[in-house]
């Protein structure tokens, strides 16, 4: 199978996966997803909300694992055989992630790249084989994840967990879901957000079947 056919087949599979959630079509658009991501649903806009979010910082990894467990269609076999390059540091981590992605892709493996921030288009953060993911895949992933979390609202609220995560946490869930579950890339290349043990990108468990490489670029005082 050549690379072009592989891309077409994968896009068909991604579309079929997302089409299972047509009941949320009223908000299933890129513009709707963007509006929601930049709204108080995912942004702390008051002093009280900012203070409450700050208090949850040390529980970020636990919170992210709880959110991920609410997603109803994550294949267990995918969780056991992860291949990931996870990059942190003060300067150069985004460039290093892009270099790694290019090298891996040049060796014939499909890649998923998650970086931040973006310059022009939010989809720059989530790239499949070097290109931003399609607007429809981005939008439907947002809607699917939001639907699953809202379906678990009662349980999440009992655990004193916000039903919808903050902006970066939501984008992290979307990136992992799109690249790992929908597109099933061979290798994930992940740039941390703020970094450190509480970074949202740290929520994945690593098993003995996983193949994970961690990179640290230059560290500075900030």
């Amino acid at each position: 199978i050549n690379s072009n056919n592989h891309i077409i087949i994968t896009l068909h599979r991604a579309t079929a996966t997302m089409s299972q959630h047509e009941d949320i079509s009223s908000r299933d658009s890129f513009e709707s997803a963007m509006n929601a991501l930049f709204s108080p649903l995912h942004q702390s806009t008051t002093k009280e909300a900012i203070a409450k979010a700050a208090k949850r910082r040390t529980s970020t990894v636990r919170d992210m694992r709880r959110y991920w467990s609410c997603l109803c269609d994550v294949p267990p076999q995918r969780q056991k055989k992860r291949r990931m390059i996870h990059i942190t540091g003060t300067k150069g981590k985004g460039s290093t992630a892009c270099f790694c992605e290019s090298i891996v892709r040049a060796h014939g493996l499909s890649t998923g790249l998650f970086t931040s921030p973006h310059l022009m288009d939010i989809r720059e953060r989530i790239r499949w084989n070097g290109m931003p993911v399609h607007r429809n895949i981005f939008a439907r992933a947002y809607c699917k994840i939001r639907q699953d979390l809202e379906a678990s609202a009662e349980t999440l609220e009992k655990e004193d967990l916000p039903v919808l995560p903050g902006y970066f946490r939501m984008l992290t869930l979307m990136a992992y879901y799109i690249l790992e579950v929908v597109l099933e890339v061979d290798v994930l290349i992940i740039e941390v957000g703020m970094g450190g043990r509480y970074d949202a990108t740290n929520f994945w468990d690593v098993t003995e079947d996983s193949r994970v490489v961690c990179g640290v670029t230059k560290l500075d005082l900030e």
Side-chain angles (χ1 to χ4, degrees), residues 8 14 29 41-42 49 61 73 89 104-106 120 124 140 161 185 187 205 207:
I8 293 171
S29 73
L41 287 171
H42 301 284
V61 173
D73 60 352
V104 171
R105 181 159 41 89
M120 301 294 292
E124 295 168 19
R140 293 188 179 187
L161 190 63
V185 299
V187 182
D205 290 320
T207 70

Side-chain angles (χ1 to χ4, degrees), residues 5-203:
N5 285 339
H6 175 71
I7 291 173
I8 293 171
I9 291 170
T10 304
L11 282 173
H12 280 308
R13 185 176 66 238
T15 302
T17 300
M18 291 303 186
S19 296
Q20 297 172 6
H21 308 283
E22 292 299 331
D23 56 316
I24 53 176
S25 59
S26 62
R27 63 187 184 198
D28 187 9
S29 73
F30 182 73
E31 290 74 19
S32 297
M34 287 290 294
N35 290 337
L37 282 167
F38 286 102
S39 78
L41 287 171
H42 301 284
Q43 302 278 350
S44 298
T45 56
T46 65
K47 290 183 178 179
E48 294 77 12
I50 292 171
K52 187 174 182 180
K55 288 181 179 179
R56 297 206 66 87
R57 178 175 175 272
T58 58
S59 62
T60 297
V61 173
R62 183 180 68 230
D63 292 351
M64 289 292 289
R65 287 173 176 166
R66 186 67 186 90
Y67 286 133
W68 187 255
S69 72
C70 294
L71 306 187
C72 60
D73 60 352
V74 179
Q77 65 272 20
R78 290 292 297 172
Q79 300 185 51
K80 294 179 180 179
K81 297 181 179 179
R82 293 173 173 140
R83 291 195 285 184
M84 178 196 293
I85 301 172
H86 200 187
I87 300 171
T88 189
T90 303
K91 291 181 171 62
K93 58 184 181 292
S95 299
T96 302
C98 291
F99 290 147
C100 290
E101 187 278 332
S102 180
I103 293 169
V104 171
R105 181 159 41 89
H107 282 75
L109 297 172
S110 65
T111 61
L113 176 65
F114 179 49
T115 59
S116 60
H118 62 276
L119 297 178
M120 301 294 292
D121 189 321
I122 195 171
R123 295 175 300 122
E124 295 168 19
R125 295 171 178 250
I126 307 174
R127 293 175 178 262
W128 175 50
N129 289 333
M131 300 296 293
V133 295
H134 194 277
R135 290 164 64 98
N136 290 345
I137 291 177
F138 184 96
R140 293 188 179 187
Y142 171 82
C143 294
K144 185 265 185 285
I145 292 171
R146 179 173 169 182
Q147 181 189 53
D148 283 358
L149 294 179
E150 289 177 339
S152 303
E154 184 176 352
T155 301
L156 293 173
E157 288 171 348
K158 286 180 179 178
E159 298 174 12
D160 196 29
L161 190 63
V163 175
L164 296 179
Y167 176 75
F168 184 75
R169 291 184 178 191
M170 187 65 173
L171 285 173
T172 302
L173 289 171
M174 290 173 61
Y176 282 52
Y177 181 79
I178 290 171
L179 300 173
E180 178 72 3
V181 179
V182 178
L183 297 175
E184 298 184 2
V185 299
D186 294 324
V187 182
L188 280 172
I189 299 93
I190 304 294
E191 176 195 6
V192 303
M194 294 298 291
R197 74 174 70 176
Y198 304 131
D199 193 82
T201 62
N202 285 330
F203 78 92

